[in-house]
Amino acid sequence: MDVNAAVAAAAAIAGLCTGVIAMLAFRWSEREQKRPTRTSLRPDGNAVLPPGVDTVLSVLSSSAVVLDESDSVVKASSAAYALGLVRGGRLAVEPMLHMARDTRRDGEIRQVELDLPRRGTGRGEALAVSARVAPLGSRLVLLLVEDLTEARRIEAVRRDFVANVSHELKTPVGALSLLSEAVMDASDDPEAVQRFAGRMEIEATRLTNLVQEIIDLSRVQNDDPLEDAEPVRVQQLVEEAIDRCRQQAGSKQITMASGGASDLSVWGNRSQLAAALGNLVENAVNYSPARTRVGIAARKVAAQGGDLIEIAVTDQGLGISEKDRERVFERFYRVDPARSRATGGTGLGLAIVKHVAASHGGEVTVWSSEGQGSTFTLRLPESGVARRRNTGRSLVVDGAVDDDGPYETDSFDSIPAPEALP
């Protein structure tokens, strides 16, 4: 009996010791897992980010990728996936991977600019990026990638613009220089002097127009037209555009007619809107054959987000080919360079129209058929809608527009809209 009691007591003591040892082992293991280490390992042996790094990476505008010793991606931002830098948990750009390995080996920071193929396109378009690699602790490497594509595109546009401006200015300046020499050589020939002086006047006018349009384009690109916005009546814009082109139209026996609703108004910069519509009407007159017709029609159309005011300028000219239609709004682009020189065009008029429309929350479109004519349509938010967007207040436009004008007035239906033209 005493033996059995002794055995039971020994078993109880052994069980108690086993429980204490197990509890101590569990507490020690738990404490070891929570203790920070220099290598910062997860239980599965993979590296994790040091404290605070994840928060910093989340606010960076650059695409960020963190690699461990095995070149596996520990952390990657959504922008890195969007650029195609990370695929299947690995860095997919081989030059960047080599940079990361070299930086891990010697600890030096490296930076390089690369052109990467754009994902999802088969046109071979390049994505310009700047990659910077730096060590992150003793085991990790941080890769930051900046997308330079848009910056390079803007720089190319500026470079082309400067080159085009230089070329366009060189032509009339060179002509003036030659004509002045011709005048000096023909000083004893009054008829020749008069002829050369007339040519000099033409070239000087062309140069003045070019400089002015460059200034206008720079202004509409840099200024906010809604800072000095006001309700502008469409009928008054049409009248000003017709008055501006009356002499050119009369010399070619071109009839200008207007029609449509007379009580429409838009919200914006009056001078810019007048310049935009004036450019459209002037182009229609300059590129129309003699004894034809130019129509200007205005109407209100329903659209998602608010009503729009459409001002359509229709001519009966030669029309624009499909390939040229895609580029007519580019700076200095001319459908027919020889005809532009004859009419004194600078190639900036439609670019100004495009920028004015965009800055006022609208757009300009073109419909054209070769041999039948073209219709340029300027679409702008209605006055009340545009003002509510910018000031949060409704606009009350009182009074009516005087329908009487110094030009022929037709009904809106008599001037074909773009979709009504053949």
Side-chain angles (χ1 to χ4, degrees), residues 230-244 258 261-266 270 273-275 277-278 296 298 311 397-407:
E230 60 179 330
V232 182
R233 298 187 185 279
V234 174
Q235 188 78 1
Q236 293 177 353
L237 295 177
V238 173
E239 291 176 5
E240 292 180 18
I242 290 179
D243 287 339
R244 169 178 169 178
S258 70
S262 60
D263 57 348
L264 304 177
S265 63
V266 294
R270 179 185 180 83
L273 293 173
L277 184 58
I296 308 169
I311 310 174
V397 180
D398 48 21
V401 178
D402 185 4
D403 291 337
D404 297 330
Y407 49 85

Side-chain angles (χ1 to χ4, degrees), residues 78-358:
S78 57
Y81 286 98
L83 289 178
L85 304 179
V86 178
R87 298 175 190 172
R90 308 287 293 185
L91 185 62
V93 183
E94 197 66 25
M96 295 182 186
L97 189 58
H98 289 314
M99 288 174 58
R101 290 170 179 170
D102 293 339
T103 296
R104 186 185 300 111
R105 184 181 63 253
D106 55 26
E108 293 186 3
I109 298 175
R110 289 174 169 81
Q111 184 170 354
V112 68
E113 292 188 3
L114 301 170
D115 291 333
L116 307 178
R118 191 185 296 271
R119 296 184 63 186
T121 63
R123 301 189 298 270
E125 297 179 352
L127 190 69
V129 299
S130 173
R132 184 178 179 87
V133 181
L136 186 64
S138 60
R139 297 170 55 88
L140 305 179
V141 173
L142 173 63
L143 170 66
L144 296 177
V145 179
E146 292 281 352
D147 187 356
L148 304 179
T149 307
E150 184 64 15
R152 284 193 179 180
R153 186 193 68 80
I154 293 175
E155 181 60 29
V157 170
R158 290 176 178 172
R159 186 169 56 250
D160 293 342
F161 180 72
V162 171
N164 287 330
V165 167
S166 302
H167 175 74
E168 295 296 331
L169 290 175
K170 183 179 179 180
T171 302
V173 169
L176 287 172
S177 176
L178 293 175
L179 288 169
S180 63
E181 293 179 3
V183 168
M184 294 178 62
D185 294 339
S187 58
D188 56 347
D189 186 350
E191 292 184 1
V193 169
Q194 186 175 4
R195 185 173 65 255
F196 291 142
R199 291 291 306 276
M200 291 178 68
E201 183 180 5
I202 294 174
E203 295 298 333
T205 301
R206 178 176 299 175
L207 180 60
T208 301
N209 293 338
L210 176 59
V211 172
Q212 184 59 50
E213 290 204 343
I214 292 174
I215 294 173
D216 292 341
L217 180 60
S218 176
R219 181 179 295 115
V220 300
Q221 286 180 312
N222 297 326
D223 294 348
D224 183 3
L226 301 181
E227 287 184 357
D228 301 320
E230 60 179 330
V232 182
R233 298 187 185 279
V234 174
Q235 188 78 1
Q236 293 177 353
L237 295 177
V238 173
E239 291 176 5
E240 292 180 18
I242 290 179
D243 287 339
R244 169 178 169 178
C245 305
R246 186 180 302 281
Q247 183 178 356
Q248 298 98 305
S251 64
K252 299 174 66 174
Q253 298 180 10
I254 292 177
T255 302
M256 290 190 292
S258 70
S262 60
D263 57 348
L264 304 177
S265 63
V266 294
W267 180 260
N269 185 292
R270 179 185 180 83
S271 61
Q272 290 191 15
L273 293 173
L277 184 58
N279 286 345
L280 292 180
V281 176
E282 186 175 12
N283 278 357
V285 172
N286 287 337
Y287 291 93
S288 292
R291 294 180 294 279
T292 56
R293 178 186 177 93
V294 171
I296 308 169
R299 64 176 180 178
K300 180 193 298 187
V301 295
Q304 186 177 3
D307 293 339
L308 295 176
I309 303 300
E310 282 190 352
I311 310 174
V313 179
T314 303
D315 63 56
Q316 297 174 330
L318 300 178
I320 305 171
S321 66
E322 185 175 357
K323 66 179 182 66
D324 290 322
R325 255 175 272 158
E326 300 177 356
R327 303 189 59 189
V328 291
F329 296 103
E330 294 180 10
R331 303 165 183 168
F332 298 107
Y333 184 80
R334 297 181 177 91
V335 175
D336 187 350
R339 189 175 181 87
S340 295
R341 285 193 295 269
T343 59
T346 62
L348 290 175
L350 291 179
I352 293 175
V353 175
K354 178 182 177 181
H355 282 288
V356 170

